[in-house]
Amino acid sequence: ARGPRHAAAASMKHQVAGRKLGRDSEHRWAMLRTMVTQLIEHERIETTLAKAKELRKLADKVVTMAKEGTLMARRKAAAVVRTDLMMQKLFTVLAERYKDREGGYSRVLQTTQRLSDSAKMAYIEYVDREGELRPARPAAGLGLSWAAQTFVNGQLKDQRVAVKVAGIAAKAA
């Protein structure tokens, strides 16, 4: 006979990713497809924080497909994006904009709470574009260890100090 420990283990949520968002899978997929299409069209939308976090995953994936540019990538993206016009924008404008960027094409910025149900609201937007809410930060980690990051940051700090001192000396002369 199995003890109480085994009964609890059967209900653990191992390797189950993603939010249900209070919808069945078909409704959730339809909603996310529509939201991705709207995000490509407007490049910034406001939604709930949970939806924005889920949408970010899918939005970044379709941009990666667009950067790939193959026929297979186009077909996979067409399974997500709803309109031909937005497919065209995705594979031309967005693919060109992010050709040198490796991931992190969208950002989620938490805003206020909705008055009716106090749901946390957020903007999701593509980065590196006109009229973005906050300028994009450069890649912070650069794939380096903590020690390497500390060294690089120290070198950059020394370089900034040297430039500032040179500027002051030039003004004095």
Side-chain angles (χ1 to χ4, degrees), residues 30-92:
M31 179 190 68
L32 288 173
R33 284 184 62 200
T34 301
M35 290 176 79
V36 165
T37 306
Q38 293 298 311
L39 181 61
I40 292 169
E41 181 178 354
H42 301 289
E43 297 193 15
R44 178 193 309 144
I45 58 175
E46 186 176 21
T47 183
T48 64
L49 182 61
K51 287 178 191 170
K53 287 179 177 181
E54 280 302 302
L55 178 61
R56 178 177 49 192
K57 298 174 193 176
L58 194 56
D60 285 356
K61 282 181 186 175
V62 295
V63 172
T64 302
M65 291 176 205
K67 283 174 53 178
E68 198 175 309
T70 62
L71 179 61
M72 190 66 216
R74 187 172 282 273
R75 287 177 176 165
K76 283 182 179 181
V80 177
V81 179
R82 291 195 178 268
T83 64
D84 293 335
L85 186 62
M86 292 306 108
M87 280 287 292
Q88 185 67 27
K89 181 177 179 180
L90 177 65
F91 276 81
T92 54

Short mmCIF file of all heavy atoms in Angstrom, two decimals, residues 30-92:
data_model
loop_
_atom_site.label_atom_id
_atom_site.label_comp_id
_atom_site.label_asym_id
_atom_site.label_seq_id
_atom_site.Cartn_x
_atom_site.Cartn_y
_atom_site.Cartn_z
N ALA A 30 -6.01 30.56 -29.36
CA ALA A 30 -6.63 31.55 -30.24
C ALA A 30 -6.35 32.96 -29.73
O ALA A 30 -6.03 33.87 -30.51
CB ALA A 30 -8.13 31.30 -30.34
N MET A 31 -6.45 33.16 -28.42
CA MET A 31 -6.20 34.47 -27.83
C MET A 31 -4.75 34.89 -28.02
O MET A 31 -4.47 36.03 -28.43
CB MET A 31 -6.53 34.44 -26.34
CG MET A 31 -6.29 35.75 -25.63
SD MET A 31 -6.42 35.59 -23.85
CE MET A 31 -5.00 34.58 -23.49
N LEU A 32 -3.81 33.98 -27.79
CA LEU A 32 -2.39 34.32 -27.94
C LEU A 32 -2.04 34.61 -29.40
O LEU A 32 -1.25 35.52 -29.67
CB LEU A 32 -1.52 33.20 -27.38
CG LEU A 32 -1.50 33.09 -25.86
CD1 LEU A 32 -0.75 31.85 -25.42
CD2 LEU A 32 -0.91 34.33 -25.22
N ARG A 33 -2.63 33.87 -30.33
CA ARG A 33 -2.39 34.14 -31.75
C ARG A 33 -2.87 35.54 -32.13
O ARG A 33 -2.17 36.28 -32.82
CB ARG A 33 -3.12 33.12 -32.63
CG ARG A 33 -2.49 31.77 -32.68
CD ARG A 33 -3.22 30.87 -33.64
NE ARG A 33 -3.16 31.41 -34.99
CZ ARG A 33 -3.99 31.09 -35.98
NH1 ARG A 33 -4.98 30.24 -35.75
NH2 ARG A 33 -3.85 31.60 -37.16
N THR A 34 -4.05 35.90 -31.66
CA THR A 34 -4.59 37.22 -31.93
C THR A 34 -3.72 38.30 -31.31
O THR A 34 -3.43 39.33 -31.94
CB THR A 34 -6.04 37.33 -31.40
OG1 THR A 34 -6.82 36.33 -32.04
CG2 THR A 34 -6.63 38.70 -31.66
N MET A 35 -3.27 38.07 -30.08
CA MET A 35 -2.44 39.06 -29.40
C MET A 35 -1.09 39.23 -30.09
O MET A 35 -0.57 40.36 -30.18
CB MET A 35 -2.27 38.69 -27.93
CG MET A 35 -3.57 38.86 -27.14
SD MET A 35 -3.41 38.33 -25.44
CE MET A 35 -2.59 39.71 -24.73
N VAL A 36 -0.49 38.15 -30.58
CA VAL A 36 0.77 38.25 -31.31
C VAL A 36 0.57 39.08 -32.57
O VAL A 36 1.38 39.97 -32.90
CB VAL A 36 1.34 36.86 -31.65
CG1 VAL A 36 2.43 36.96 -32.70
CG2 VAL A 36 1.89 36.20 -30.42
N THR A 37 -0.52 38.82 -33.28
CA THR A 37 -0.81 39.58 -34.51
C THR A 37 -1.00 41.06 -34.19
O THR A 37 -0.47 41.93 -34.90
CB THR A 37 -2.06 39.01 -35.20
OG1 THR A 37 -1.87 37.60 -35.40
CG2 THR A 37 -2.31 39.67 -36.52
N GLN A 38 -1.71 41.36 -33.11
CA GLN A 38 -1.93 42.75 -32.72
C GLN A 38 -0.61 43.42 -32.27
O GLN A 38 -0.38 44.59 -32.56
CB GLN A 38 -2.96 42.84 -31.59
CG GLN A 38 -4.35 42.44 -32.00
CD GLN A 38 -4.89 43.36 -33.08
OE1 GLN A 38 -4.84 44.58 -32.97
NE2 GLN A 38 -5.40 42.78 -34.15
N LEU A 39 0.23 42.64 -31.60
CA LEU A 39 1.52 43.18 -31.17
C LEU A 39 2.40 43.51 -32.38
O LEU A 39 3.07 44.55 -32.40
CB LEU A 39 2.24 42.19 -30.25
CG LEU A 39 3.59 42.64 -29.70
CD1 LEU A 39 3.45 43.90 -28.87
CD2 LEU A 39 4.22 41.53 -28.87
N ILE A 40 2.39 42.67 -33.39
CA ILE A 40 3.16 42.94 -34.60
C ILE A 40 2.61 44.20 -35.28
O ILE A 40 3.38 45.06 -35.73
CB ILE A 40 3.13 41.74 -35.56
CG1 ILE A 40 3.89 40.56 -34.94
CG2 ILE A 40 3.70 42.10 -36.92
CD1 ILE A 40 3.70 39.25 -35.66
N GLU A 41 1.31 44.34 -35.30
CA GLU A 41 0.69 45.49 -35.96
C GLU A 41 0.99 46.80 -35.22
O GLU A 41 1.43 47.77 -35.82
CB GLU A 41 -0.82 45.30 -36.06
CG GLU A 41 -1.54 46.43 -36.76
CD GLU A 41 -3.03 46.21 -36.89
OE1 GLU A 41 -3.52 45.12 -36.54
OE2 GLU A 41 -3.71 47.14 -37.35
N HIS A 42 0.75 46.83 -33.92
CA HIS A 42 0.85 48.07 -33.16
C HIS A 42 2.20 48.24 -32.46
O HIS A 42 2.50 49.35 -32.01
CB HIS A 42 -0.28 48.15 -32.12
CG HIS A 42 -1.64 48.07 -32.73
ND1 HIS A 42 -2.18 49.10 -33.48
CD2 HIS A 42 -2.57 47.08 -32.73
CE1 HIS A 42 -3.38 48.75 -33.90
NE2 HIS A 42 -3.64 47.53 -33.46
N GLU A 43 2.94 47.17 -32.29
CA GLU A 43 4.25 47.12 -31.65
C GLU A 43 4.22 47.46 -30.16
O GLU A 43 5.25 47.47 -29.51
CB GLU A 43 5.27 47.98 -32.39
CG GLU A 43 5.49 47.47 -33.80
CD GLU A 43 6.71 48.06 -34.49
OE1 GLU A 43 7.55 48.66 -33.80
OE2 GLU A 43 6.80 47.91 -35.71
N ARG A 44 3.06 47.75 -29.62
CA ARG A 44 2.87 47.89 -28.17
C ARG A 44 1.39 47.67 -27.89
O ARG A 44 0.54 48.28 -28.54
CB ARG A 44 3.25 49.27 -27.68
CG ARG A 44 3.00 49.40 -26.17
CD ARG A 44 3.06 50.82 -25.66
NE ARG A 44 4.24 51.53 -26.05
CZ ARG A 44 4.25 52.83 -26.35
NH1 ARG A 44 3.16 53.54 -26.30
NH2 ARG A 44 5.37 53.41 -26.71
N ILE A 45 1.09 46.81 -26.91
CA ILE A 45 -0.30 46.63 -26.49
C ILE A 45 -0.34 46.57 -24.97
O ILE A 45 0.66 46.27 -24.32
CB ILE A 45 -0.96 45.36 -27.09
CG1 ILE A 45 -0.18 44.10 -26.73
CG2 ILE A 45 -1.12 45.49 -28.58
CD1 ILE A 45 -0.86 42.82 -27.20
N GLU A 46 -1.50 46.89 -24.41
CA GLU A 46 -1.68 46.81 -22.96
C GLU A 46 -2.59 45.63 -22.67
O GLU A 46 -3.63 45.46 -23.31
CB GLU A 46 -2.29 48.09 -22.41
CG GLU A 46 -2.36 48.09 -20.89
CD GLU A 46 -2.87 49.39 -20.31
OE1 GLU A 46 -3.54 50.14 -21.03
OE2 GLU A 46 -2.62 49.65 -19.13
N THR A 47 -2.20 44.82 -21.71
CA THR A 47 -2.97 43.64 -21.33
C THR A 47 -2.65 43.32 -19.87
O THR A 47 -1.95 44.10 -19.21
CB THR A 47 -2.62 42.45 -22.27
OG1 THR A 47 -3.43 41.34 -21.91
CG2 THR A 47 -1.16 42.07 -22.20
N THR A 48 -3.15 42.21 -19.37
CA THR A 48 -2.82 41.85 -17.99
C THR A 48 -1.38 41.35 -17.93
O THR A 48 -0.81 40.91 -18.94
CB THR A 48 -3.76 40.76 -17.44
OG1 THR A 48 -3.58 39.58 -18.20
CG2 THR A 48 -5.20 41.22 -17.48
N LEU A 49 -0.80 41.40 -16.76
CA LEU A 49 0.60 41.01 -16.59
C LEU A 49 0.81 39.54 -16.95
O LEU A 49 1.78 39.20 -17.63
CB LEU A 49 1.03 41.28 -15.15
CG LEU A 49 2.48 40.99 -14.80
CD1 LEU A 49 3.41 41.85 -15.64
CD2 LEU A 49 2.73 41.23 -13.32
N ALA A 50 -0.09 38.66 -16.53
CA ALA A 50 0.06 37.24 -16.81
C ALA A 50 0.00 36.96 -18.32
O ALA A 50 0.80 36.20 -18.86
CB ALA A 50 -1.02 36.43 -16.09
N LYS A 51 -0.94 37.62 -19.01
CA LYS A 51 -1.04 37.44 -20.46
C LYS A 51 0.19 38.00 -21.16
O LYS A 51 0.68 37.41 -22.12
CB LYS A 51 -2.30 38.14 -21.00
CG LYS A 51 -3.59 37.45 -20.66
CD LYS A 51 -4.75 38.25 -21.20
CE LYS A 51 -6.07 37.73 -20.66
NZ LYS A 51 -7.17 38.64 -20.99
N ALA A 52 0.69 39.13 -20.69
CA ALA A 52 1.87 39.73 -21.30
C ALA A 52 3.08 38.82 -21.17
O ALA A 52 3.86 38.67 -22.12
CB ALA A 52 2.15 41.09 -20.67
N LYS A 53 3.24 38.19 -20.02
CA LYS A 53 4.38 37.29 -19.81
C LYS A 53 4.28 36.06 -20.70
O LYS A 53 5.29 35.57 -21.21
CB LYS A 53 4.48 36.89 -18.34
CG LYS A 53 4.97 38.01 -17.45
CD LYS A 53 5.03 37.56 -16.01
CE LYS A 53 5.60 38.64 -15.12
NZ LYS A 53 5.69 38.21 -13.71
N GLU A 54 3.09 35.55 -20.90
CA GLU A 54 2.91 34.41 -21.81
C GLU A 54 3.11 34.84 -23.26
O GLU A 54 3.69 34.11 -24.06
CB GLU A 54 1.51 33.81 -21.64
CG GLU A 54 1.38 32.90 -20.47
CD GLU A 54 2.34 31.73 -20.50
OE1 GLU A 54 2.31 30.94 -21.48
OE2 GLU A 54 3.14 31.60 -19.56
N LEU A 55 2.61 36.01 -23.59
CA LEU A 55 2.71 36.51 -24.96
C LEU A 55 4.16 36.77 -25.34
O LEU A 55 4.54 36.54 -26.49
CB LEU A 55 1.89 37.80 -25.08
CG LEU A 55 1.90 38.50 -26.42
CD1 LEU A 55 1.33 37.60 -27.50
CD2 LEU A 55 1.08 39.78 -26.34
N ARG A 56 4.97 37.21 -24.39
CA ARG A 56 6.37 37.51 -24.67
C ARG A 56 7.09 36.29 -25.24
O ARG A 56 7.88 36.42 -26.19
CB ARG A 56 7.05 37.98 -23.38
CG ARG A 56 8.53 38.29 -23.53
CD ARG A 56 9.12 38.81 -22.24
NE ARG A 56 8.76 37.95 -21.13
CZ ARG A 56 8.94 38.28 -19.86
NH1 ARG A 56 9.45 39.45 -19.55
NH2 ARG A 56 8.61 37.45 -18.89
N LYS A 57 6.82 35.11 -24.70
CA LYS A 57 7.46 33.89 -25.20
C LYS A 57 7.14 33.66 -26.67
O LYS A 57 8.04 33.41 -27.48
CB LYS A 57 6.98 32.68 -24.40
CG LYS A 57 7.31 32.71 -22.93
CD LYS A 57 6.66 31.52 -22.24
CE LYS A 57 6.68 31.65 -20.74
NZ LYS A 57 5.97 30.56 -20.09
N LEU A 58 5.86 33.75 -27.01
CA LEU A 58 5.43 33.50 -28.38
C LEU A 58 5.88 34.61 -29.32
O LEU A 58 6.31 34.34 -30.45
CB LEU A 58 3.90 33.36 -28.41
CG LEU A 58 3.28 32.77 -29.65
CD1 LEU A 58 3.85 31.39 -29.97
CD2 LEU A 58 1.77 32.67 -29.48
N ALA A 59 5.84 35.85 -28.87
CA ALA A 59 6.25 36.98 -29.71
C ALA A 59 7.74 36.88 -30.06
O ALA A 59 8.13 37.13 -31.20
CB ALA A 59 5.96 38.30 -28.99
N ASP A 60 8.56 36.49 -29.09
CA ASP A 60 9.99 36.35 -29.37
C ASP A 60 10.25 35.18 -30.31
O ASP A 60 11.14 35.23 -31.15
CB ASP A 60 10.76 36.18 -28.07
CG ASP A 60 10.91 37.49 -27.30
OD1 ASP A 60 10.47 38.54 -27.81
OD2 ASP A 60 11.45 37.46 -26.18
N LYS A 61 9.46 34.11 -30.18
CA LYS A 61 9.65 32.96 -31.06
C LYS A 61 9.34 33.30 -32.51
O LYS A 61 10.07 32.88 -33.42
CB LYS A 61 8.77 31.79 -30.61
CG LYS A 61 9.34 31.05 -29.43
CD LYS A 61 8.46 29.88 -29.04
CE LYS A 61 8.97 29.24 -27.76
NZ LYS A 61 8.08 28.19 -27.27
N VAL A 62 8.28 34.07 -32.77
CA VAL A 62 7.95 34.39 -34.16
C VAL A 62 8.99 35.34 -34.76
O VAL A 62 9.28 35.25 -35.96
CB VAL A 62 6.52 34.94 -34.35
CG1 VAL A 62 5.49 33.90 -34.01
CG2 VAL A 62 6.28 36.21 -33.60
N VAL A 63 9.58 36.21 -33.97
CA VAL A 63 10.64 37.07 -34.49
C VAL A 63 11.87 36.23 -34.84
O VAL A 63 12.51 36.45 -35.87
CB VAL A 63 11.01 38.20 -33.49
CG1 VAL A 63 12.24 38.96 -33.94
CG2 VAL A 63 9.85 39.14 -33.32
N THR A 64 12.17 35.24 -34.01
CA THR A 64 13.28 34.34 -34.31
C THR A 64 13.02 33.59 -35.61
O THR A 64 13.93 33.42 -36.43
CB THR A 64 13.50 33.35 -33.14
OG1 THR A 64 13.74 34.11 -31.95
CG2 THR A 64 14.67 32.44 -33.41
N MET A 65 11.79 33.15 -35.82
CA MET A 65 11.43 32.49 -37.07
C MET A 65 11.63 33.45 -38.25
O MET A 65 12.13 33.05 -39.30
CB MET A 65 9.98 32.02 -37.04
CG MET A 65 9.68 30.90 -36.12
SD MET A 65 7.89 30.57 -36.13
CE MET A 65 7.68 29.83 -34.54
N ALA A 66 11.22 34.70 -38.07
CA ALA A 66 11.35 35.68 -39.14
C ALA A 66 12.82 35.93 -39.48
O ALA A 66 13.17 36.09 -40.65
CB ALA A 66 10.67 36.98 -38.74
N LYS A 67 13.68 35.98 -38.47
CA LYS A 67 15.09 36.18 -38.72
C LYS A 67 15.69 35.01 -39.49
O LYS A 67 16.60 35.19 -40.29
CB LYS A 67 15.84 36.35 -37.39
CG LYS A 67 15.67 37.70 -36.78
CD LYS A 67 16.29 37.81 -35.41
CE LYS A 67 17.73 37.37 -35.39
NZ LYS A 67 18.35 37.51 -34.07
N GLU A 68 15.18 33.81 -39.22
CA GLU A 68 15.66 32.62 -39.94
C GLU A 68 15.34 32.75 -41.43
O GLU A 68 16.18 32.45 -42.27
CB GLU A 68 14.99 31.39 -39.33
CG GLU A 68 15.66 30.08 -39.64
CD GLU A 68 14.98 28.94 -38.90
OE1 GLU A 68 14.80 29.06 -37.67
OE2 GLU A 68 14.64 27.95 -39.56
N GLY A 69 14.12 33.17 -41.74
CA GLY A 69 13.76 33.51 -43.11
C GLY A 69 13.55 32.36 -44.07
O GLY A 69 13.33 32.59 -45.26
N THR A 70 13.59 31.12 -43.62
CA THR A 70 13.40 29.97 -44.52
C THR A 70 11.91 29.74 -44.76
O THR A 70 11.05 30.29 -44.08
CB THR A 70 14.01 28.70 -43.90
OG1 THR A 70 13.32 28.41 -42.67
CG2 THR A 70 15.49 28.87 -43.63
N LEU A 71 11.64 28.91 -45.74
CA LEU A 71 10.26 28.57 -46.06
C LEU A 71 9.60 27.86 -44.87
O LEU A 71 8.44 28.13 -44.53
CB LEU A 71 10.19 27.68 -47.31
CG LEU A 71 8.81 27.22 -47.73
CD1 LEU A 71 7.91 28.41 -48.06
CD2 LEU A 71 8.90 26.28 -48.92
N MET A 72 10.34 26.97 -44.23
CA MET A 72 9.78 26.25 -43.06
C MET A 72 9.48 27.23 -41.93
O MET A 72 8.44 27.12 -41.27
CB MET A 72 10.77 25.19 -42.59
CG MET A 72 10.21 24.25 -41.57
SD MET A 72 8.92 23.25 -42.30
CE MET A 72 7.81 23.13 -40.93
N ALA A 73 10.37 28.19 -41.71
CA ALA A 73 10.13 29.20 -40.66
C ALA A 73 8.91 30.04 -41.01
O ALA A 73 8.10 30.37 -40.14
CB ALA A 73 11.36 30.08 -40.51
N ARG A 74 8.75 30.37 -42.29
CA ARG A 74 7.59 31.15 -42.72
C ARG A 74 6.30 30.37 -42.48
O ARG A 74 5.29 30.93 -42.04
CB ARG A 74 7.73 31.51 -44.20
CG ARG A 74 6.68 32.46 -44.70
CD ARG A 74 6.99 32.91 -46.10
NE ARG A 74 8.03 33.93 -46.16
CZ ARG A 74 7.79 35.24 -46.04
NH1 ARG A 74 6.56 35.67 -45.86
NH2 ARG A 74 8.77 36.10 -46.09
N ARG A 75 6.32 29.08 -42.74
CA ARG A 75 5.12 28.26 -42.52
C ARG A 75 4.79 28.13 -41.04
O ARG A 75 3.63 28.16 -40.64
CB ARG A 75 5.31 26.88 -43.15
CG ARG A 75 5.23 26.93 -44.66
CD ARG A 75 5.49 25.59 -45.28
NE ARG A 75 5.32 25.68 -46.73
CZ ARG A 75 5.75 24.78 -47.58
NH1 ARG A 75 6.40 23.70 -47.14
NH2 ARG A 75 5.56 24.92 -48.87
N LYS A 76 5.83 27.98 -40.20
CA LYS A 76 5.61 27.91 -38.76
C LYS A 76 5.04 29.22 -38.23
O LYS A 76 4.15 29.23 -37.39
CB LYS A 76 6.91 27.57 -38.03
CG LYS A 76 7.32 26.13 -38.12
CD LYS A 76 8.59 25.90 -37.33
CE LYS A 76 9.01 24.45 -37.37
NZ LYS A 76 10.23 24.21 -36.58
N ALA A 77 5.57 30.33 -38.70
CA ALA A 77 5.07 31.65 -38.27
C ALA A 77 3.64 31.86 -38.76
O ALA A 77 2.83 32.46 -38.06
CB ALA A 77 5.99 32.75 -38.78
N ALA A 78 3.33 31.36 -39.95
CA ALA A 78 1.97 31.51 -40.49
C ALA A 78 0.95 30.74 -39.65
O ALA A 78 -0.24 31.08 -39.65
CB ALA A 78 1.92 31.03 -41.93
N ALA A 79 1.40 29.72 -38.93
CA ALA A 79 0.50 28.98 -38.03
C ALA A 79 0.16 29.81 -36.79
O ALA A 79 -0.80 29.49 -36.09
CB ALA A 79 1.14 27.66 -37.62
N VAL A 80 0.93 30.86 -36.54
CA VAL A 80 0.69 31.71 -35.37
C VAL A 80 0.06 33.04 -35.78
O VAL A 80 -0.98 33.43 -35.25
CB VAL A 80 2.01 31.97 -34.60
CG1 VAL A 80 1.78 32.90 -33.43
CG2 VAL A 80 2.62 30.66 -34.14
N VAL A 81 0.68 33.73 -36.72
CA VAL A 81 0.24 35.06 -37.13
C VAL A 81 -1.00 34.93 -38.01
O VAL A 81 -1.05 34.11 -38.92
CB VAL A 81 1.37 35.81 -37.87
CG1 VAL A 81 0.92 37.18 -38.31
CG2 VAL A 81 2.59 35.91 -36.96
N ARG A 82 -1.99 35.77 -37.76
CA ARG A 82 -3.30 35.59 -38.41
C ARG A 82 -3.42 36.24 -39.79
O ARG A 82 -4.19 35.77 -40.60
CB ARG A 82 -4.40 36.14 -37.51
CG ARG A 82 -4.60 35.32 -36.26
CD ARG A 82 -5.92 35.67 -35.61
NE ARG A 82 -6.17 34.86 -34.43
CZ ARG A 82 -6.82 33.72 -34.45
NH1 ARG A 82 -7.27 33.22 -35.56
NH2 ARG A 82 -7.03 33.06 -33.33
N THR A 83 -2.71 37.31 -40.08
CA THR A 83 -2.93 38.00 -41.35
C THR A 83 -1.66 38.00 -42.21
O THR A 83 -0.54 38.01 -41.70
CB THR A 83 -3.36 39.47 -41.12
OG1 THR A 83 -2.29 40.16 -40.48
CG2 THR A 83 -4.61 39.55 -40.28
N ASP A 84 -1.86 38.04 -43.53
CA ASP A 84 -0.75 38.07 -44.47
C ASP A 84 0.03 39.37 -44.36
O ASP A 84 1.26 39.39 -44.51
CB ASP A 84 -1.25 37.88 -45.91
CG ASP A 84 -1.80 36.49 -46.14
OD1 ASP A 84 -1.39 35.56 -45.41
OD2 ASP A 84 -2.63 36.33 -47.05
N LEU A 85 -0.67 40.46 -44.10
CA LEU A 85 -0.02 41.76 -43.98
C LEU A 85 0.95 41.77 -42.80
O LEU A 85 2.07 42.28 -42.91
CB LEU A 85 -1.07 42.86 -43.82
CG LEU A 85 -0.57 44.29 -43.84
CD1 LEU A 85 0.09 44.60 -45.17
CD2 LEU A 85 -1.70 45.25 -43.57
N MET A 86 0.54 41.18 -41.68
CA MET A 86 1.42 41.14 -40.51
C MET A 86 2.56 40.13 -40.71
O MET A 86 3.65 40.32 -40.19
CB MET A 86 0.63 40.79 -39.24
CG MET A 86 -0.33 41.88 -38.82
SD MET A 86 0.45 43.50 -38.64
CE MET A 86 -0.19 44.37 -40.05
N MET A 87 2.33 39.10 -41.50
CA MET A 87 3.42 38.17 -41.86
C MET A 87 4.47 38.93 -42.66
O MET A 87 5.68 38.76 -42.44
CB MET A 87 2.88 37.00 -42.68
CG MET A 87 2.23 35.92 -41.88
SD MET A 87 3.42 34.95 -40.96
CE MET A 87 4.28 34.13 -42.29
N GLN A 88 4.01 39.75 -43.58
CA GLN A 88 4.93 40.55 -44.40
C GLN A 88 5.74 41.49 -43.52
O GLN A 88 6.96 41.60 -43.67
CB GLN A 88 4.13 41.34 -45.45
CG GLN A 88 4.97 42.11 -46.41
CD GLN A 88 5.78 41.20 -47.33
OE1 GLN A 88 5.39 40.07 -47.59
NE2 GLN A 88 6.91 41.70 -47.79
N LYS A 89 5.08 42.17 -42.57
CA LYS A 89 5.78 43.09 -41.67
C LYS A 89 6.79 42.33 -40.81
O LYS A 89 7.91 42.78 -40.60
CB LYS A 89 4.78 43.83 -40.79
CG LYS A 89 5.43 44.82 -39.85
CD LYS A 89 4.42 45.59 -39.04
CE LYS A 89 5.11 46.55 -38.10
NZ LYS A 89 4.16 47.33 -37.30
N LEU A 90 6.38 41.16 -40.33
CA LEU A 90 7.24 40.35 -39.48
C LEU A 90 8.52 39.95 -40.21
O LEU A 90 9.62 40.09 -39.68
CB LEU A 90 6.48 39.10 -39.01
CG LEU A 90 7.24 38.08 -38.17
CD1 LEU A 90 7.64 38.69 -36.83
CD2 LEU A 90 6.39 36.85 -37.95
N PHE A 91 8.38 39.48 -41.45
CA PHE A 91 9.53 38.95 -42.18
C PHE A 91 10.36 40.04 -42.86
O PHE A 91 11.45 39.75 -43.35
CB PHE A 91 9.09 37.89 -43.19
CG PHE A 91 8.95 36.53 -42.56
CD1 PHE A 91 7.82 36.20 -41.85
CD2 PHE A 91 9.96 35.60 -42.66
CE1 PHE A 91 7.70 34.96 -41.25
CE2 PHE A 91 9.85 34.37 -42.06
CZ PHE A 91 8.71 34.04 -41.35
N THR A 92 9.87 41.27 -42.91
CA THR A 92 10.66 42.34 -43.50
C THR A 92 11.12 43.32 -42.43
O THR A 92 12.30 43.37 -42.09
CB THR A 92 9.86 43.08 -44.59
OG1 THR A 92 8.63 43.53 -44.05
CG2 THR A 92 9.61 42.19 -45.79
#
